[in-house]
Amino acid sequence: MRADETSDAVPRWPWAGRPWLIDAFVVVLVAGPAFAPLPFAEMRPSSPLAYALVLSPALALPFRRRWPRTVLAVCVAAWAAALTLGTLSPGGAVAMVVATYGVAHRTPRRSSIIATAAAVVAVLSTGVIVSLVSGMDTRVLQVALSLSLAGAVGDAARSRRAYVEAVVERARRAEETRESEARRRVTEERLRIARDLHDAVAHRISVISLNAGVATSMLETRPDRAREALATIRTASRDVLGEIGTMMSVLRAPDDAPVRIQPGLARVPEIVESVRVAGWDVVVRDEIGTDAEAAGIPLGVDIVAYRVVQEGLTNALKHGTTRRAHVLLRRDGDELEIVVTNPVERVPGVGDRDLPPSGFGLVGLRERVDAVRGTLDAGLAPGGYRLAARLPLPARPGAPAGGPAPAARSPESSPERAS
């Protein structure tokens, strides 16, 4: 909250921001009765020493903000000394009230209670002793009650100040938290867009590149095969343009627009077929089927499983050398296991460090898998390059945890089995 907003919203007192005005008023209020023609003789100083004792609190009070307890002790001592000399100082009583308020307002509650109680005890004991010795009406009860009331008011003011400071601090932290939360959401949205764009484009671009090579090499020897590759390129390019257009429309849509349906395991055969058209031998071992709802697979896990298969086949198209790949989909207890492997020919003199590094596709895929609390492994294995993900599934009703998976369909009956 800015200072100009505070000044516009809250009316300010004339002396706000001018403490010297308050000090001047207190000094006049304390020193004035010493020179006023009061009707009671005991209230008028009778000696120079009494004058000095009556006026000394006026000199100490301006320092009450820095040394509140010390100023209170000086005021009480000066009032008690003047009373022992036979002078009941109204200005000294006012000084003690102001000093007590300052102690309660500027020190912790425990310290202010102790200081106020000590001042009240000192006033009462001095007044009672002077009253018993001289018979003067010292009016100590009124002074003691005034000090107690000043301490209570000062404590209330301190509590209110602390409450206001806490509210302002919470508002400041809420503003900082809101800004950091907005930055975090922007970052997450940027990463989500990057993942979706990669998933929508990378696989089809790989298919287009591979089929372009096939069409170029077979244009003269096998024109029919070249035409088939060009048809695949045309279909893939149309699909990728449609995906980009759909993504742009989603990004430009209002916040309350319906969410675009993400692909799931039901579209795995489409990816497999696009790779087979490019001349790859893809073997699919599907033990769960493509009906994710019937298999008890949540929507989020279904989408991530599709992306694992997509990324695995995309990497095989980019870096594979044997034009073969294997896809495994099965349920292992309460986990969905997806494994995509493709053989990698070993070239003499080429080590593991010379293999293509993990790109943004695997980075985005790890983020997707982490979002559903799964695990992802990628790297060389005895059978070649292996991309494996294990995604947690809800326990099936009536089945023990870690129980056997449903019976696998025979490879011959699987529609995704490579011919």
Side-chain angles (χ1 to χ4, degrees):
M1 184 177 292
R2 296 189 298 270
D4 54 348
E5 292 178 353
T6 305
S7 61
D8 293 340
V10 181
R12 298 173 64 86
W13 297 105
W15 54 79
R18 300 181 179 89
W20 60 270
L21 286 178
I22 301 177
D23 292 340
F25 176 76
V26 170
V27 168
V28 171
L29 195 62
V30 172
F35 304 97
L38 299 177
F40 304 99
E42 65 271 13
M43 294 184 180
R44 296 192 297 269
S46 57
S47 64
L49 180 58
Y51 269 105
L53 293 174
V54 169
L55 296 177
S56 59
L59 301 176
L61 282 176
F63 302 96
R64 68 188 181 280
R65 297 181 184 86
R66 187 170 183 179
W67 301 295
R69 286 185 290 266
T70 302
V71 171
L72 176 60
V74 170
C75 293
V76 172
W79 182 87
L83 188 62
T84 57
L85 296 178
T87 301
L88 180 60
S89 172
V94 172
M96 288 191 297
V97 170
V98 174
T100 303
Y101 175 87
V103 169
H105 187 220
R106 292 178 175 82
T107 60
R109 176 168 294 173
R110 182 176 181 180
S111 176
S112 65
I113 290 177
I114 294 175
T116 302
V120 170
V121 170
V123 167
L124 287 175
S125 58
T126 303
V128 170
I129 294 174
V130 171
S131 182
L132 292 176
V133 173
S134 62
M136 184 177 63
D137 184 9
T138 56
R139 298 178 176 87
V140 290
L141 291 180
Q142 294 91 323
V143 176
L145 290 176
S146 299
L147 296 182
S148 301
L149 180 61
V153 174
D155 183 76
R158 181 193 54 79
S159 300
R160 181 182 180 278
R161 183 188 62 189
Y163 171 75
V164 171
E165 291 176 353
V167 170
V168 172
E169 179 66 16
R170 284 198 298 269
R172 184 186 63 81
R173 291 185 178 181
E175 183 69 21
E176 294 177 354
T177 303
R178 183 163 57 248
E179 293 177 357
S180 61
E181 180 68 14
R183 288 193 297 269
R184 185 186 64 82
R185 290 186 178 182
V186 169
T187 302
E188 290 182 353
E189 184 64 14
R190 185 170 64 249
L191 293 176
R192 186 189 66 81
I193 294 172
R195 288 195 299 266
D196 291 345
L197 185 61
H198 178 275
D199 294 338
V201 175
H203 175 73
R204 289 179 174 84
I205 293 297
S206 299
V207 172
I208 291 173
S209 176
L210 186 62
N211 280 274
V214 172
T216 302
S217 61
M218 297 185 177
L219 187 60
E220 296 180 356
T221 58
R222 296 183 58 183
D224 54 340
R225 186 72 181 85
R227 283 193 296 271
E228 184 179 352
L230 292 175
T232 302
I233 291 175
R234 183 172 60 252
T235 302
S237 60
R238 184 172 59 249
D239 291 344
V240 72
L241 289 175
E243 286 282 352
I244 294 176
T246 302
M247 186 174 298
M248 293 299 104
S249 63
V250 170
L251 293 178
R252 294 177 179 272
D255 295 338
D256 55 352
V259 180
R260 180 169 63 98
I261 298 177
Q262 296 285 337
L265 290 175
R267 294 186 58 180
V268 167
E270 299 179 13
I271 303 178
V272 174
E273 186 61 28
S274 66
V275 177
R276 285 173 177 166
V277 169
W280 279 61
D281 180 17
V282 183
V283 178
V284 179
R285 181 183 173 187
D286 185 4
E287 298 182 1
I288 58 175
T290 57
D291 191 349
E293 184 177 357
I297 300 176
L299 177 60
V301 176
D302 183 32
I303 296 172
V304 174
Y306 169 82
R307 296 302 187 188
V308 172
V309 177
Q310 184 185 47
E311 181 65 22
L313 292 179
T314 300
N315 287 338
L317 289 173
K318 289 181 179 179
H319 311 301
T321 57
T322 61
R323 292 181 175 269
R324 288 187 293 118
H326 184 275
V327 179
L328 170 64
L329 302 172
R330 72 186 184 95
R331 182 165 186 161
D332 184 9
D334 291 334
E335 289 185 330
L336 175 62
E337 184 179 12
I338 307 101
V339 181
V340 182
T341 57
N342 63 283
V344 178
E345 291 183 351
R346 295 286 183 164
V347 179
V350 177
D352 295 348
R353 295 182 180 179
D354 298 319
L355 292 173
S358 299
F360 293 111
L362 283 179
V363 174
L365 187 61
R366 289 186 188 278
E367 294 173 353
R368 291 183 183 275
V369 172
D370 290 341
V372 295
R373 299 184 179 181
T375 58
L376 180 70
D377 295 322
L380 289 176
Y385 192 84
R386 181 175 182 270
L387 178 67
R390 299 184 70 89
L391 310 177
L393 296 176
R396 291 168 293 179
R409 295 180 297 177
S410 61
E412 292 78 6
S413 62
S414 176
E416 291 79 23
R417 176 74 178 180
S419 56

